[in-house]
Amino acid sequence: MPLCPMRQMLDEARKAGYGVGAYNVNNMEQIQAIAQAARETASPVIIQASKGALEYTNLVYLKHLMAAAVEENADLPICLHLDHGPNLELCKEAIGIGFTSVMIDGSIDYDKKTPEGKHPARSFEDNLRATKEVADYAHARGVSVEGELGTLGGIEEETHADKVLLTDPAQVEEFVRRTGVDALALAIGTSHGAYKFKHEPVLAMDLISQCRERAPECAFVMHGSSSVPKELVDEVNKYGGRMPNAMGVPIASIQEAIRRGIQKINVDTDGRMAVTAAIRKVFIEKPGEFDPRKYLGPAREALTKLIASKMRDFGTAGHAGDYKRKTLDEMKKFYGKK
Ligand SMILES: [Zn+2]
């Protein structure tokens, strides 16, 4: 699969001052919607799969669905990324099936015994060791690496630490230098899921600027960046859903974060909601409908629209043709020289 290395994609975004959305996938319709939105808006795009997605799709299906998206859109820069890799083992597996980027979430200890939501935060040194191990393995193969400093809150599958710790800017320079990561997820007060805030969203924007000064060439990542737009919540609830008081990160805040130095913006919840709202609508309006194409089709269309609007909002639109995609061999040489 001629995929684009994430390092190159985010370097280009940093230089030009825009953000690239990273959208989670589990099935064909989602992959098609993301690729279609990228095509319509001429955007580079990161398609990402979590550990849960790899389990759901049985890996090999995801690999071939992705290959189809790449084959159909050979001229678009597309990166395939592992979201919240818990350990070296899964990162190796993802790289083995062709991912051009992996995240190693060394910030919390994903031991198998701890119930979800209770995973303890790791020490700085333990995080650093786990991250460097993955970076060394990945870079030897030309693959990009994202790490995480601080912990995110939230209800998303297995990304749930026992407490939220904001990133300490004083640790960023050392972490980036010693691990060699290409991208770093900053904990600035966002969380996963549809219920990010009880009142007004409060994000530590200054923290992004402080980190940017300390690691000028590292890409920064904002997790839990769904906006949970009111129209979408209303749509879900109108057709029999129950999502009271859902709240996300306003687009204006994401745009400010991009201005201050964020390049990768992770979006999952909004896509899930767009799909759910579209399917609910069909089920309520046409209770006699039983052809999956008649509800998965509208879901795919709704998701395409949502993602295309994000590509415009994040400033990604129009940048697909800015650069020539680097090969993993070229990236290997790049890391070898560093
Ligand atoms: Zn995340």
Side-chain angles (χ1 to χ4, degrees), residues 48 83-84 103 105 146 148 152 156 159 192 223-224 266:
Q48 61 184 18
D83 191 21
H84 287 284
M103 175 185 189
D105 182 355
E146 174 183 339
E148 177 170 322
L152 294 135
E156 201 178 62
T159 55
H192 295 112
H223 281 239
N266 286 13

Side-chain angles (χ1 to χ4, degrees), residues 106-179:
S107 71
I108 57 178
D109 190 357
Y110 287 93
D111 66 76
K112 301 230 162 70
K113 290 163 283 172
T114 308
E116 198 180 308
K118 302 281 183 220
H119 293 291
R122 275 213 185 112
S123 72
F124 178 75
E125 284 297 330
D126 286 349
N127 182 357
L128 201 143
R129 208 170 307 122
T131 307
K132 185 173 180 348
E133 196 183 22
V134 170
D136 289 347
Y137 180 88
H139 287 170
R141 287 153 186 83
V143 170
S144 318
V145 176
E146 174 183 339
E148 177 170 322
L149 252 187
T151 57
L152 294 135
I155 56 169
E156 201 178 62
E157 46 193 350
E158 294 178 60
T159 55
H160 193 172
D162 61 348
K163 59 181 172 239
V164 177
L165 297 169
L166 294 188
T167 303
D168 177 0
Q171 295 181 330
V172 166
E173 191 272 334
E174 185 185 356
F175 191 84
V176 171
R177 177 171 42 82
R178 286 178 57 195
T179 58

